[in-house]
Amino acid sequence: MNILELFNIPNKAQADRRIFVKDILARLELSSRDKQSFEKTVGTIHVKGILNESTSNIWSYVDDTYYYKEIILFYVVLKDITKVAFVNEQLQKVFPNPIVIFYEFGNKYAISTALKRLNKLEKGKTVIEEIQLSDFFELDDKHIQLLNKHSYDFNNLKNYYEGFNNLVATEELVDLTGIVPEVIDETAKAKSTKIKQLLRQKKELEDAYKEADSMQEQMTIHMQIKEIEHKLEVI
């Protein structure tokens, strides 16, 4: 199974157009070393979907800050993932449109989104507010369950893209908890951050427990660990 099959791209929105790496590099101001890193990382790039009002039946959204008339879906096959964060940042920068990037490396996948707003100083350009890149994952049962929560049931393309952005953020939450939440929303990133913070605190306390000099100190630390475990359960 290919990851794109899980997203049921509307027939009218489907595409299969190759974008050559040299054409991307021509639009980027990179050093020779960075260009080499890009070329060593990226195998092929294809446009796999173009979502707009006519192809998706979702209304566009345009105001003084945001421009969501078209969302482009890219599929990138990688040769190496060492520099994937760098490559992802460059790809998100080079396209002013809101884009979703699906990465394939072996039998694993990653997804990237980037929230963008209009550049008020340079017409036709956008400013990236936030880039998200999931970890690489296999299409196991829990990830298929997560990705199946993707929906086209949004009133405009901005809301649709934000929903996709929330889906990408939720992948980390699923990795941390092993549980696919019932609702995919904007709280996923904050929950992941909180869980990672609590896990770090728990590890520090467990290390302190091993070094404790007295039974009383161990009991105090043990209670603190239990308190953190309770907090993790209720997130």
Side-chain angles (χ1 to χ4, degrees), residues 15 29 33 51 64 118 141 171 174 208 219 224 230 235:
E29 296 180 4
R33 177 178 293 182
L51 299 169
D64 292 339
L118 290 171
D141 289 344
E171 193 281 325
V174 171
M219 288 179 64
Q224 291 172 331
H230 176 70
I235 290 179

Side-chain angles (χ1 to χ4, degrees), residues 66 68 115 154 157-167:
Y66 298 106
Y68 284 82
L115 299 179
F154 290 93
L157 288 172
K158 180 176 181 291
N159 290 155
Y160 169 80
Y161 193 83
E162 289 168 343
F164 223 125
N165 193 61
N166 293 337
L167 189 74

Side-chain angles (χ1 to χ4, degrees), residues 69-92:
K69 292 202 74 171
E70 193 168 76
I71 296 170
I72 304 176
L73 310 179
F74 287 88
Y75 194 86
V76 179
V77 178
L78 299 172
K79 297 183 285 188
D80 183 82
I81 59 172
T82 308
K83 300 286 186 180
V84 66
F86 164 75
V87 166
N88 184 62
E89 181 181 357
Q90 302 311 311
L91 288 174
Q92 289 288 3

Side-chain angles (χ1 to χ4, degrees), residues 92-121:
Q92 289 288 3
K93 282 167 55 178
V94 80
F95 295 102
N97 297 68
I99 67 173
V100 180
I101 309 175
F102 298 90
Y103 291 101
E104 175 191 318
F105 181 70
N107 65 338
K108 293 187 176 183
Y109 300 92
I111 308 174
S112 172
T113 52
L115 299 179
K116 302 173 183 178
R117 58 178 171 79
L118 290 171
N119 188 325
K120 297 188 181 297
L121 299 179

Side-chain angles (χ1 to χ4, degrees), residues 29-227:
E29 296 180 4
L30 298 176
S31 66
S32 296
R33 177 178 293 182
D34 285 342
K35 286 181 179 179
Q36 288 178 357
S37 294
F38 196 102
E39 290 173 326
K40 288 179 179 178
T41 301
V42 177
T44 58
I45 305 172
H46 283 83
V47 174
K48 286 294 188 179
I50 301 174
L51 299 169
N52 52 42
E53 288 186 359
S54 63
T55 63
S56 69
N57 293 322
I58 305 174
W59 293 106
S60 61
Y61 181 95
V62 178
D63 63 15
D64 292 339
T65 305
Y66 298 106
Y67 190 85
Y68 284 82
K69 292 202 74 171
E70 193 168 76
I71 296 170
I72 304 176
L73 310 179
F74 287 88
Y75 194 86
V76 179
V77 178
L78 299 172
K79 297 183 285 188
D80 183 82
I81 59 172
T82 308
K83 300 286 186 180
V84 66
F86 164 75
V87 166
N88 184 62
E89 181 181 357
Q90 302 311 311
L91 288 174
Q92 289 288 3
K93 282 167 55 178
V94 80
F95 295 102
N97 297 68
I99 67 173
V100 180
I101 309 175
F102 298 90
Y103 291 101
E104 175 191 318
F105 181 70
N107 65 338
K108 293 187 176 183
Y109 300 92
I111 308 174
S112 172
T113 52
L115 299 179
K116 302 173 183 178
R117 58 178 171 79
L118 290 171
N119 188 325
K120 297 188 181 297
L121 299 179
E122 296 185 70
K123 190 175 181 180
K125 293 189 176 183
T126 52
V127 176
I128 294 175
E129 296 180 329
E130 173 191 57
I131 293 179
Q132 287 201 128
L133 174 63
S134 74
D135 289 334
F136 280 85
F137 55 86
E138 295 182 0
L139 288 180
D140 53 21
D141 289 344
K142 69 180 180 182
H143 280 93
I144 291 174
Q145 182 184 351
L146 170 65
L147 299 181
N148 276 333
K149 288 183 175 290
H150 167 267
S151 169
Y152 290 96
D153 188 22
F154 290 93
N155 61 350
N156 61 60
L157 288 172
K158 180 176 181 291
N159 290 155
Y160 169 80
Y161 193 83
E162 289 168 343
F164 223 125
N165 193 61
N166 293 337
L167 189 74
V168 175
T170 305
E171 193 281 325
E172 182 179 32
L173 186 61
V174 171
D175 271 351
L176 289 168
T177 65
I179 299 170
V180 178
E182 286 297 319
V183 178
I184 306 299
D185 59 24
E186 66 280 357
T187 64
K189 189 168 186 178
K191 288 178 180 177
S192 294
T193 301
K194 184 63 176 177
I195 289 172
K196 288 188 289 186
Q197 179 187 12
L198 289 170
L199 289 174
R200 282 195 299 269
Q201 291 174 1
K202 183 183 177 185
K203 178 64 169 59
E204 291 169 359
L205 287 169
E206 288 171 340
D207 291 340
Y209 182 89
K210 296 174 185 177
E211 301 294 328
D213 296 325
S214 67
M215 180 72 73
Q216 182 178 357
E217 187 178 358
Q218 285 184 330
M219 288 179 64
T220 300
I221 294 172
H222 177 73
M223 293 303 295
Q224 291 172 331
I225 291 173
K226 288 297 182 184
E227 184 180 346

